[in-house]
């Protein structure tokens, strides 16, 4: 098929998939367009690069089953606050309950954001372990890779890490996860960026350097660190990435923090900042850790922007939460409707933008196929 043939197929797929997206749409894309969408997250192969970031959309098994049914590539469970054997949580300020979320637009055309005052998992740790076991069953059945996320104790400079929290939480999660290594995200959240704890650059860099060893001391863990947007400049953001280089993957970067309103926010300011930081040169060693993009990903074009800056997968939250009329699809779950737009939109979907790169000569077919992972620069490409 030539490029006008692909364009015609895309227009027709976009229309007919508005009513129902095939679960294995990646296989369809490979067969029809000769485009291999395979991505990677935390060392695991994915059929395509789109996953769901930790938050209110991965709190229970029902949500995960709907995502599995939609063909989502992976999901990160809501962040749990670490505890020791007695149930003490040094970060308990993050375990607050708040159910109200408001999906709204940032002023001046700044994109969608979700305003929410809550923080981490607010039910018992045992309930969280139950969710992790259920997530493992889905992963083992090849339905959906769904991994836990933790916020562990972070000490002030001169203070020691509370290893009893690291030990108890990591061991319990490793036991709930069906095999070794445990795949795990460590969250450094935007509300942490707004906390006096994060006022000191040296303190933040110490956390990023030392947290991996405190987690890995207690179990075989493949670790993604989800970096916050600190309240410092772009150079410091890059220094944070370098300091975190012993992680297996970095999730770049969680939402911005508005100290006046006291809330985290997203939208185009977030993706502008993230992409700008990822454009800066780094002292980090190539290849490890791999990168997973997050922040205002609302189109295939935006997925490509993150991929061209090193991200071999992406994790979204806000785009899975829009009012239904914002999606071109007319039926299906929000996850299906979002995937439909991200992959099949004829102008800004992932297929359209990869074909555009091919036409511009910046992406080439290998053995007749275009590969999503070929968008990722060599130095970041997972091997
Ligand atoms: C309501 C809400 C709750 C969130 N909770 C968490 C969380 O518990 N842990 C975490 O690592 N990220 C959390 N996030 C961040 C998202 O996973 C995501 O990385 C971030 O919102 C940027 O992506 P987006 O612009 O697609 O929303 C949350 C985001 C929102 C909007």
């Amino acid at each position: 098929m030539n490029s006008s043939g692909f364009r015609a197929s895309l227009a027709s797929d976009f229309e007919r998939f508005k009513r129902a997206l095939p679960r294995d749409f990646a296989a369809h894309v490979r067969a029809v367009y000769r485009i291999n969408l395979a991505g990677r997250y935390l060392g695991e192969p994915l059929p395509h690069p789109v996953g769901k970031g930790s938050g209110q959309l991965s709190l229970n098994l029902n949500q995960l089953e709907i995502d599995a049914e939609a063909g989502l590539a992976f999901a990160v469970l809501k962040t749990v606050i670490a505890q020791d054997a007695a149930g003490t949580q040094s970060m308990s300020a993050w375990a607050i309950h708040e159910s109200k979320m408001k999906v709204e637009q940032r002023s001046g055309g700044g994109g969608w954001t979700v305003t929410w005052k809550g923080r981490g998992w607010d039910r018992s740790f045992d309930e969280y372990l139950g969710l992790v076991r259920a997530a493992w069953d889905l992963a083992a059945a090849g339905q959906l890779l769904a991994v836990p996320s933790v916020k562990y104790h972070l000490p002030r400079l001169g203070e020691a890490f509370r290893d009893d929290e690291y030990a108890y939480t990591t061991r319990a999660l490793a036991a709930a996860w069906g095999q070794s290594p445990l795949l795990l995200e460590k969250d450094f959240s935007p509300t942490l960026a707004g906390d006096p704890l994060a006022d000191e650059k040296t303190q933040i860099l110490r956390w990023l350097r030392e947290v991996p060893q405190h987690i890995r001391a207690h179990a075989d863990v493949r670790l993604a660190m989800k970096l916050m947007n600190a309240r410092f400049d772009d150079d410091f953001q890059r220094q944070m990435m370098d300091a975190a280089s012993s992680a297996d993957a970095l999730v770049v970067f969680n939402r911005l923090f508005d100290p006046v309103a006291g809330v985290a926010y997203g939208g185009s300011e977030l993706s502008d900042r993230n992409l700008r930081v990822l454009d800066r040169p780094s002292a980090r060693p190539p290849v490890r850790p791999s990168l997973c993009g997050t922040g205002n990903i609302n189109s295939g074009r935006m997925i490509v922007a993150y991929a061209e800056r090193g991200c071999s997968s992406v994790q979204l939250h806000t785009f899975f939460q829009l009012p239904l009329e914002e999606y071109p699809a007319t039926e299906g779950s929000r996850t299906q409707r979002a995937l439909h737009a991200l992959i099949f939109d004829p102008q800004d979907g992932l297929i359209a933008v990869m074909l555009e790169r091919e036409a511009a000569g910046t992406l080439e077919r290998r053995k007749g196929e275009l590969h999503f992972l070929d968008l990722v620069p060599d130095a970041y490409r997972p091997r």
Side-chain angles (χ1 to χ4, degrees), residues 8 15 37 67 97 143 148 166 176 178 195 272 300 307 355 361 379:
E15 283 311 313
L37 292 178
D67 288 344
H97 176 76
Q143 298 271 309
Y166 279 78
D195 192 273
D272 286 353
L355 292 173

Side-chain angles (χ1 to χ4, degrees), residues 53-55 78-79 114 187 226 254-255 294-296 316-318:
S54 171
K78 177 68 188 171
T79 299
V114 183
D187 173 34
K226 185 168 184 178
N254 210 330
R255 302 200 299 163
T294 192
N296 192 38
L316 293 59
H317 196 287
T318 303

Side-chain angles (χ1 to χ4, degrees), residues 232-251:
F232 300 107
D233 62 14
D234 296 0
D235 277 339
F236 181 69
Q237 204 63 27
R238 213 60 232 202
Q239 278 180 46
M240 286 172 58
M241 290 178 74
D242 295 341
S245 64
S246 69
D248 298 287
L250 300 180
V251 184

Side-chain angles (χ1 to χ4, degrees), residues 16-287:
R16 77 194 166 101
F17 294 158
K18 283 181 177 173
R19 291 183 301 281
L21 181 72
R23 187 188 181 283
D24 198 356
F25 60 84
H28 171 84
V29 170
R30 196 165 180 189
V32 173
Y33 303 89
R34 314 288 318 277
I35 293 182
N36 184 336
L37 292 178
R40 262 183 116 78
Y41 166 72
L42 201 40
E44 295 294 305
L46 305 173
H48 62 83
V50 185
K52 178 175 273 184
S54 171
Q56 304 323 99
L57 309 177
S58 46
L59 289 169
N60 57 55
L61 183 57
N62 184 40
Q63 290 169 322
L64 299 179
E65 285 173 342
I66 291 170
D67 288 344
E69 181 59 34
L72 190 72
F74 70 101
V76 185
L77 304 181
K78 177 68 188 171
T79 299
V80 73
I81 311 304
Q83 64 176 59
D84 64 16
T88 308
Q89 297 173 311
S90 57
M91 306 298 273
S92 60
W94 273 267
I96 56 172
H97 176 76
E98 168 67 61
S99 55
K100 253 196 293 166
M101 280 188 279
K102 196 164 163 204
V103 181
E104 55 191 346
Q105 292 202 286
R106 301 271 306 158
S107 60
W112 290 94
T113 189
V114 183
T115 305
W116 181 62
K117 296 238 175 182
R119 293 179 171 193
W121 178 264
D122 59 3
R123 285 176 271 148
S124 74
F125 187 53
D126 277 347
E127 283 176 90
Y128 194 78
L129 294 176
L131 182 61
V132 173
R133 279 188 286 269
W136 166 256
D137 289 342
L138 282 177
Q143 298 271 309
L144 176 70
L145 176 66
V147 311
S149 161
V150 184
K151 187 188 298 291
Y152 289 94
H153 171 242
L154 296 171
R156 286 170 202 288
L157 277 176
E159 227 179 48
F161 281 83
R162 293 207 189 157
D163 276 311
D164 42 356
E165 286 188 14
Y166 279 78
Y168 181 78
T169 304
T170 311
R171 286 183 192 145
L173 289 170
W177 187 252
Q179 82 182 19
S180 193
L182 164 68
L183 305 188
L184 184 67
E185 264 193 24
K186 156 73 185 123
D187 173 34
F188 294 86
S189 68
T191 46
L192 176 68
D195 192 273
L197 252 187
D199 282 349
E200 286 265 0
K201 287 185 181 178
T202 39
Q203 189 154 283
I204 296 175
L205 296 176
R206 175 193 176 206
W207 296 338
L208 298 173
R209 266 193 298 270
E210 296 185 14
V211 156
Q213 73 214 43
H214 287 275
I215 297 174
R216 290 185 182 129
H218 307 291
D220 184 10
V221 176
R222 206 187 289 157
L223 180 66
M225 300 232 280
K226 185 168 184 178
L227 303 186
M228 60 187 173
N229 260 303
R231 287 171 299 140
F232 300 107
D233 62 14
D234 296 0
D235 277 339
F236 181 69
Q237 204 63 27
R238 213 60 232 202
Q239 278 180 46
M240 286 172 58
M241 290 178 74
D242 295 341
S245 64
S246 69
D248 298 287
L250 300 180
V251 184
V252 288
F253 300 97
N254 210 330
R255 302 200 299 163
L256 297 162
F257 187 74
D258 177 343
V260 178
V263 292
Y265 67 97
S268 49
E269 216 179 304
L270 175 60
S271 47
D272 286 353
R273 153 95 161 176
N274 288 356
L275 296 174
R276 201 172 64 230
V277 168
L278 293 174
D279 268 336
R280 288 177 106 74
S282 155
R284 88 194 260 284
V287 180

